[in-house]
Amino acid sequence: VAAAAGARALDAPYRKRVQTGEDSDSRTVERLAGPRPDAARVIAAPAYEFPLPASPHTAAAAAGAVIDPEVLHVALGDRVREAAPAPLVVELAGGMHVPLTASFTQADWLARERPRVVLIARSGLGTLNHTLLTLEALRARRLTPSALILVGEPHAENAATLAAHVDHLFELPTLAPLDQGAIDAWLAEHPLADA
């Protein structure tokens, strides 16, 4: 998504709000989507980082911390203002119902902040139930995804079933090698930036 925004000649800042585990998603996005010579993409540090690779609330507890949704709210507003007029690409930590605290999920955060949503799901077996439940949860919060990206080996039946539930569906096959060139080549043939 960050690379697609960059393909439209936008400075597309990226932010992972909560990072759990030692593998930094921010560094991976920076490697795969930028920086580019023609766009100074900004990779903002997460508001929270915890070493345990677990759900945010569990990783925070293991580190003797608690995630404060108000901190995430304020940080989002700051990043949006810094990014303007470009869009800010924000990555969640796991699925919609993953808890940030014992009583506040990422679905609650989405309902509060009301961002434009791009849903990413795997393409193969099991995706119909998970993806349709996620779409239902989004719509219950009056959120409609701008696009659904199915990742993995293309699965025609799953794609056809899910296409009936979204305005824009894209299939992103496993890219080998997974690098900026492969992503750019895929984006050149798929108008993700227009969704």
Side-chain angles (χ1 to χ4, degrees), residues 119 121-124 126-135 139 145 148-151 155-171:
L119 181 60
R122 61 189 174 124
S123 60
T127 200
L128 293 179
N129 184 56
H130 294 159
T131 306
L132 290 172
L133 284 172
T134 300
L135 288 168
R139 291 193 174 116
L148 167 61
I149 302 172
L150 296 178
V151 179
H155 191 290
E157 293 83 8
N158 286 350
T161 298
L162 293 169
H165 298 272
V166 294
D167 291 335
H168 302 280
L169 183 139
F170 300 92
E171 292 183 278

Side-chain angles (χ1 to χ4, degrees), residues 102-193:
S103 61
F104 190 84
T105 67
Q106 296 191 120
D108 296 324
W109 182 84
L110 287 170
R112 177 182 183 177
E113 304 298 345
R114 315 229 34 92
R116 187 171 171 209
V117 175
V118 175
L119 181 60
I120 313 293
R122 61 189 174 124
S123 60
L125 185 65
T127 200
L128 293 179
N129 184 56
H130 294 159
T131 306
L132 290 172
L133 284 172
T134 300
L135 288 168
E136 181 180 278
L138 284 168
R139 291 193 174 116
R141 290 160 178 81
R142 296 185 323 260
L143 293 166
T144 301
S146 299
L148 167 61
I149 302 172
L150 296 178
V151 179
E153 291 308 310
H155 191 290
E157 293 83 8
N158 286 350
T161 298
L162 293 169
H165 298 272
V166 294
D167 291 335
H168 302 280
L169 183 139
F170 300 92
E171 292 183 278
L172 175 60
T174 303
L175 300 177
L178 178 57
D179 59 21
Q180 191 175 32
I183 291 171
D184 288 346
W186 183 82
L187 286 171
E189 297 182 16
H190 300 85
L192 179 59

